[in-house]
Amino acid sequence: MKYIDEYRDKAVVLQLIEQIRETSRHPIRIMEVCGGHTMAIQRFGIPSLLPETVELVSGPGCPVCVTSHAYIDQAIAYSRLPEVIITTYGDLIRVPGSTSTLDREKAKGADIRIVYSILDALEIAKHNRRKKVVFLGIGFETTSPATAAGIIKAEMAGLFNFLVFSAHKIMPPPMAALIDTGVNIQGYLGPGHVSTITGSKIYDFIAEDYGLSVVISGFEPTDILQSILMLVKQFERRQPAVEIQYSRVVKPEGNPKALAMLEEVFYLDKDWWRGLGVLNASGMKIKGKYAAFNAEKQVEVSVEPTREDKGCICGEVLKSTAKPAECKLFGKACTPSDPVGACMVSNEGACAAYYRYAR
Amino acid sequence: MSHKNNTMCLSIPARIEEINGEMARCSVGEASYQASLQMLDISELAVGDYVLLHTGFALQKISEEEAIETLKLFDEFEAFNATLDEEEKQTGERIV
Ligand code: SF4
């Protein structure tokens, strides 16, 4: 119990661990979907606190990690056009494409700007009317409503030089696909902030059709332990259900205004996920009525052929069929300062979190 | 996991300092952010309230207690990261 002395709520933590030990009889593998949970779990050494029956594995919840090389390659192709300014969240800048990164293109002179918010990208479009400002839309339901809001704003302001290249994705399809592919898990630690937007109903089919538990969890060690306890209880009673542990923040109905904006701007289409391949109705594409703001419709580019990295098993890591340390490159050719695969780039990536915290 | 970073995955608790139409000036510790309130019911928000801020948009109103706890968690992460970096510098090797 190496970190136990650091916990603020030591007594609560010890009590929760005790309860988990008492409750857990049968082996259970729990997958955390959200990269934020991966980080917290590794940081607080939670696996070492749990009984042998309870195993935690990481899943596909890091948006940068599941994004395809083809997407990065196309973003890079846009950035090489003289009339384009790329605006992007910082997360994406070092993610390797087939032969380059946005960072490298920027060093070579491409106009690539890191923004904190899509609202900053709109400002850039306002001040560069002769340029096409392409915003790279990545992320799950926490982030996509902001993109929808940005597109609606651009239309209201008549900012037709503002374009979005969307690789937004939704969380439930990979959760179902993982079970379909036979990955051995008995419950999901549900994503806290995605669920702030979506609410909890979107996971109901996981419990009803697949018979797996989902507990939407907060990020404190006590939150995570309590969620694990809830999952173990459900499992031992053979009563899979969707529960919200993080009820301080997550409401069953989610955020209706944000959901309405998503509905207004996006439709669901098939999309590619690292490790899982193409999944039906898992990606968010811009509806026809907003085609004027869709980079894919407005800007022609030729994109280099896709090449995946040799030796990177990031796809396996995202499915939990391999641990980061099982990758031959882990900690050697691939480190956070010189990443080979996407799972090492993002702070929330499983490889980066294990590298940093798991000793 | 610094809240000063430009990382997209992070939702930070922020205090509303000033509301102008659908925009608000929010603070996170010393730092100040502009946030859009358009995803929330603005009539239910007031100066002094805490919201979960994500890429420039307030996603959800949260309690002050929740906000403070979450910020503490971020600071712990930061402190822990700093300790790791320091250890690394001293020992000259990467801790895996
Ligand atoms: S350690 Fe690097 S190369 Fe190996 S799976 Fe992770 S990201 Fe890929």
Side-chain angles (χ1 to χ4, degrees):
Chain A
M1 293 192 191
K2 54 190 159 181
Y3 297 123
I4 199 85
D5 290 325
E6 300 169 25
Y7 291 127
R8 265 175 282 128
D9 318 306
K10 201 170 151 184
V12 185
V13 167
L14 287 171
Q15 208 182 7
L16 284 166
I17 296 167
E18 192 48 44
Q19 277 177 280
I20 294 172
R21 284 179 189 277
E22 277 168 16
T23 317
S24 181
R25 293 276 161 267
H26 304 88
I28 173 172
R29 286 181 104 217
I30 296 170
M31 175 174 277
E32 83 268 1
V33 196
C34 165
H37 284 147
T38 307
M39 271 176 67
I41 286 167
Q42 295 307 327
R43 153 67 185 92
F44 291 103
I46 287 179
S48 67
L49 307 177
L50 299 171
E52 267 175 20
T53 40
V54 183
E55 190 187 347
L56 300 180
V57 293
S58 313
C62 154
V64 166
C65 303
V66 293
T67 303
S68 69
H69 276 170
Y71 179 82
I72 303 289
D73 294 343
Q74 189 162 338
I76 287 171
Y78 287 137
S79 82
R80 288 175 178 162
L81 300 175
E83 73 273 24
V84 166
I85 299 174
I86 297 282
T87 50
T88 176
Y89 297 128
D91 308 60
L92 211 52
I93 193 100
R94 288 170 62 231
V95 178
S98 295
T99 57
S100 184
T101 64
L102 290 162
D103 212 14
R104 260 183 259 157
E105 298 300 311
K106 189 173 157 72
K108 277 195 261 169
D111 196 344
I112 298 171
R113 306 187 193 182
I114 295 175
V115 292
Y116 164 67
S117 166
I118 194 167
L119 300 174
D120 303 334
L122 286 171
E123 280 300 308
I124 293 173
K126 213 181 276 173
H127 294 112
N128 294 275
R129 293 274 188 171
R130 285 160 195 270
K131 295 269 189 172
K132 291 175 178 159
V133 175
V134 176
F135 177 77
L136 304 181
I138 63 156
F140 299 117
E141 292 96 325
T142 338
T143 316
S144 48
T147 304
I151 290 176
I152 295 169
K153 265 189 198 303
E155 181 177 59
M156 287 192 322
L159 267 181
F160 289 99
N161 63 329
F162 177 78
L163 301 163
V164 171
F165 179 30
S166 171
H168 285 298
K169 290 177 165 57
I170 62 169
M171 212 59 252
M175 291 170 73
L178 276 163
I179 313 171
D180 285 334
T181 54
V183 170
N184 172 26
I185 44 171
Q186 285 73 41
Y188 277 115
L189 199 68
H193 291 144
V194 163
S195 310
T196 310
I197 301 293
T198 62
S200 58
K201 288 195 198 75
I202 59 158
Y203 308 111
D204 285 351
F205 78 103
I206 304 252
E208 283 160 18
D209 304 345
Y210 288 92
L212 247 74
S213 312
V214 181
V215 173
I216 297 164
S217 177
F219 297 88
E220 293 269 340
T222 45
D223 288 333
I224 294 173
L225 286 168
Q226 200 184 13
S227 301
I228 293 172
L229 178 61
M230 290 160 83
L231 286 164
V232 167
K233 274 190 186 157
Q234 285 192 19
F235 181 61
E236 292 296 336
R237 291 181 191 144
R238 300 279 181 269
Q239 284 169 340
V242 178
E243 288 184 282
I244 305 176
Q245 179 275 333
Y246 197 31
S247 55
R248 309 190 299 276
V249 174
V250 175
K251 309 278 167 267
E253 70 279 10
N255 180 327
K257 275 191 150 180
L259 289 172
M261 278 190 249
L262 286 180
E263 175 70 34
E264 167 69 18
V265 173
F266 294 110
Y267 69 96
L268 292 179
D269 199 359
K270 59 180 187 313
D271 204 354
W272 185 92
W273 295 68
R274 179 159 293 110
L276 293 166
V278 174
L279 302 180
N280 279 333
S282 69
M284 293 183 139
K285 292 285 168 200
I286 298 167
K287 280 184 176 170
K289 62 173 156 174
Y290 291 103
F293 304 96
N294 186 347
E296 288 174 273
K297 299 274 183 252
Q298 303 300 331
V299 191
E300 286 248 349
V301 271
S302 56
V303 183
E304 63 185 309
T306 310
R307 233 175 49 192
E308 287 285 332
D309 320 284
K310 288 208 187 72
C312 174
I313 57 164
C314 199
E316 298 297 316
V317 171
L318 290 165
K319 276 192 296 195
S320 85
T321 46
K323 296 248 184 227
E326 288 169 35
C327 171
K328 286 196 199 75
L329 307 181
F330 180 79
K332 299 186 185 91
C334 183
T335 60
S337 48
D338 194 9
V340 172
C343 300
M344 190 61 96
V345 178
S346 167
N347 270 333
E348 271 103 32
C351 293
Y354 278 73
Y355 188 81
R356 183 113 232 190
Y357 303 119
R359 305 192 225 170
Chain B
M1 174 148 146
S2 159
H3 44 82
K4 285 138 211 148
N5 279 352
N6 268 334
T7 155
M8 166 198 93
C9 272
L10 221 53
S11 307
I12 38 175
R15 185 179 187 273
I16 299 180
E17 302 295 345
E18 197 184 317
I19 299 179
N20 291 310
E22 61 167 36
M23 294 298 289
R25 188 168 58 79
C26 296
S27 64
V28 182
E30 307 278 282
S32 175
Y33 292 90
Q34 284 296 323
S36 165
L37 303 177
Q38 71 182 107
M39 286 178 202
L40 299 176
D41 196 340
I42 299 176
S43 64
E44 283 177 11
L45 295 171
V47 169
D49 282 348
Y50 283 84
V51 289
L52 204 55
L53 185 62
H54 184 84
T55 65
F57 289 79
L59 299 186
Q60 182 82 45
K61 188 170 156 179
I62 55 174
S63 70
E64 179 172 2
E65 196 191 7
E66 173 68 23
I68 290 167
E69 284 302 311
T70 309
L71 283 173
K72 258 195 234 156
L73 185 69
F74 287 169
D75 287 342
E76 275 174 32
F77 264 106
E78 236 167 281
F80 187 69
N81 282 346
T83 327
L84 277 189
D85 289 343
E86 198 47 44
E87 273 176 40
E88 256 174 53
K89 250 185 253 157
Q90 282 174 7
T91 57
E93 62 184 59
R94 186 80 220 186
I95 300 156
V96 179

